[in-house]
Amino acid sequence: MPRLSKIFSRLSAIPLILLLSGCNLVVMAPSGDIAMQQRDLIIISVVLMLIIIIPVIFLTLYFAWKYRQSNKEATYEPEWHHSTRLELVIWSAPLAIIIALGAVTWISTHQLDPYRPLDRIAADKPLNADVKPLTVEVVALDWKWLFFYPEYGIAMVNEMAAPVDRPINFKITASSVMNSFFIPALAGQIYAMPGMETKLHAVINHPGEFQGLSANYSGAGFSNMRFKFHGLSQADFDQWVQKAKSQGSALGRPEYLALAKPSERNPVQYFNAVDDGLYNAILNMCADPSKMCMSEMMHIDAKGGAGKESHENRERLIYDNRDVGPGAVTPVKADGAATHTMQHGDSSMQGMGSMQGMDMSNGSSSDSSTGSAQHQGH
């Protein structure tokens, strides 16, 4: 009977092994220098903590065995209560670990700041001063990703590419609800928020096809909000750009507004011409010409407000009212205050919150508004 139970216990481990075979360990085997440094930080932190955890687990088991009731040879001292030498060991080791972890955290927090431009391509490859970063403007839509390449005048849905060993400067925003841009092989996740712009500097060091995804729940289509990221040689990247230009269509504001409507499992789509200033209009939440841009709102606020006449701007400030019929406006209470219920995709409040320090005229954010957002990624 004991032998039979032993056989069953071994067989029960097979399903666990099969489940683990489906795990994707790309975070621990990335292809970009930033992600590699983040992986090293994880390993260093775990090793430092294991220096304490392993001895504690071992000594717990050892003491339980050594001082068991049946061991008559173990020293029995019921009156013992203090040892200066033991206290020094118990407290000095964790203190040293905390100091080491603090130093590592301080250095890596600044070194891996997503807003900090790259100073190297890889550990053994410094960045040449004459290398021009590739700028990619990212918009999180419901529920797909839109990528602008202003240098090439193209855009695409649910696919992006970059040359190997060329720095990438990401500018990230969202059209409706808060989201999270994440390519595990490239770098850590960065939040995408309506009416705000976050940044990420990264580089891909190995060619290949990698998975990109949303790492922040944003509604019904969240699970399928994925895209392909291609690391290509310069020649292959040039061919990819030409493919987008030859197979794509124009992306103007009407096409964008249709694209921004909630949809799932969107196929890859290329655009070979993009309206000037479209990304900046999306960032300012005024891709719809009938809406007021954030930059205009902030300009009015900087002058002390628009006075009593500002009620005329009310409909221009309703940025997302998808649950109300066409032409309808948000109900107003008897005291003049608008009732507002936060629904999925409602960014009329999100886009106006935490706007202090934002310079929307050029799509950038000042230091005072990026503290909490930028350190979520690295």
Side-chain angles (χ1 to χ4, degrees):
M1 193 67 179
R3 184 177 180 182
L4 186 61
S5 61
K6 189 175 182 180
I7 293 174
F8 277 117
S9 64
R10 291 180 178 178
L11 291 175
S12 63
I14 294 178
L16 296 176
I17 296 174
L18 293 176
L19 289 173
L20 290 173
S21 66
C23 292
N24 188 346
L25 299 179
V26 64
V27 173
M28 303 308 294
S31 299
D33 183 58
I34 294 297
M36 291 179 184
Q37 294 182 65
Q38 293 172 337
R39 175 206 59 192
D40 294 343
L41 177 61
I42 293 173
I43 294 174
I44 291 171
S45 300
V46 170
V47 169
L48 286 173
M49 290 183 285
L50 287 178
I51 292 176
I52 294 296
I53 294 172
I54 291 178
V56 168
I57 293 175
F58 171 78
L59 290 174
T60 300
L61 298 175
Y62 173 75
F63 289 154
W65 173 80
K66 181 176 176 60
Y67 296 103
R68 64 193 186 278
Q69 184 178 9
S70 60
N71 186 9
K72 304 302 182 181
E73 297 180 359
T75 304
Y76 178 64
E77 296 183 7
E79 301 301 326
W80 182 90
H81 63 90
H82 178 74
S83 170
T84 303
R85 183 179 301 176
L86 188 59
E87 289 284 348
L88 288 174
V89 173
I90 290 174
W91 288 105
S92 61
L95 180 61
I97 299 301
I98 291 172
I99 293 173
L101 282 172
V104 170
T105 302
W106 173 267
I107 295 171
S108 60
T109 297
H110 292 84
Q111 186 175 357
L112 299 176
D113 182 351
Y115 282 64
R116 180 175 178 263
L118 301 183
D119 55 9
R120 75 180 202 184
I121 298 298
D124 57 349
K125 189 182 297 184
L127 177 63
N128 294 329
D130 58 345
V131 174
K132 182 181 178 181
L134 173 67
T135 298
V136 180
E137 296 167 340
V138 183
V139 181
L141 304 173
D142 292 335
W143 287 276
K144 58 265 179 187
W145 295 93
L146 176 61
F147 302 98
F148 293 95
Y149 285 74
E151 181 180 342
Y152 301 95
I154 60 175
M156 56 281 308
V157 173
N158 285 345
E159 182 180 88
M160 68 163 295
V164 171
D165 289 345
R166 181 178 177 183
I168 311 171
N169 178 18
F170 289 101
K171 298 180 179 181
I172 307 168
T173 190
S175 65
S176 59
V177 298
M178 182 174 177
N179 227 298
S180 178
F181 176 74
F182 188 25
I183 306 177
L186 183 70
Q189 66 91 17
I190 297 293
Y191 285 134
M193 294 168 282
M196 299 180 68
E197 182 182 82
T198 49
K199 297 181 180 180
L200 171 65
H201 293 85
V203 62
I204 190 71
N205 300 115
H206 302 288
E209 182 180 284
F210 308 99
Q211 183 81 13
L213 66 149
S214 168
N216 188 78
Y217 181 75
S218 58
F222 158 76
S223 299
N224 298 311
M225 196 171 172
R226 298 174 179 269
F227 63 93
K228 295 295 183 182
F229 170 67
H230 302 279
L232 305 172
S233 65
Q234 186 61 54
D236 290 340
F237 178 75
D238 293 337
Q239 292 181 6
W240 180 80
V241 171
Q242 290 303 317
K243 176 184 176 182
K245 290 183 176 181
S246 62
Q247 298 182 7
S249 57
L251 179 63
R253 295 202 180 195
E255 291 80 10
Y256 167 77
L257 292 175
L259 180 66
K261 294 179 180 179
S263 60
E264 300 180 38
R265 299 181 183 273
N266 288 65
V268 174
Q269 187 176 356
Y270 299 108
F271 301 99
N272 55 16
V274 180
D275 272 9
D276 291 338
L278 179 55
Y279 171 78
N280 196 53
I282 298 169
L283 175 62
N284 277 275
M285 301 178 68
C286 57
D288 181 350
S290 66
K291 302 304 178 183
M292 179 184 290
C293 293
M294 293 289 101
S295 55
E296 182 182 354
M297 180 193 299
M298 294 175 69
H299 180 70
I300 293 173
D301 291 343
K303 289 190 172 184
K308 295 181 179 179
E309 294 77 14
S310 62
H311 71 276
E312 298 178 359
N313 293 327
R314 185 170 174 277
E315 290 191 31
R316 297 179 64 199
L317 297 174
I318 302 174
Y319 293 97
D320 190 351
N321 214 9
R322 68 183 65 178
D323 296 323
V324 180
V329 296
T330 306
V332 179
K333 295 180 180 179
D335 59 2
T339 60
H340 190 91
T341 303
M342 295 297 290
Q343 302 287 345
H344 162 65
D346 192 339
S347 59
S348 60
M349 298 301 290
Q350 296 175 12
M352 292 186 287
S354 303
M355 295 299 295
Q356 184 178 3
M358 298 297 295
D359 180 6
M360 304 308 298
S361 59
N362 59 3
S364 62
S365 57
S366 67
D367 292 340
S368 63
S369 64
T370 59
S372 62
Q374 65 181 342
H375 292 293
Q376 296 294 332
H378 285 321

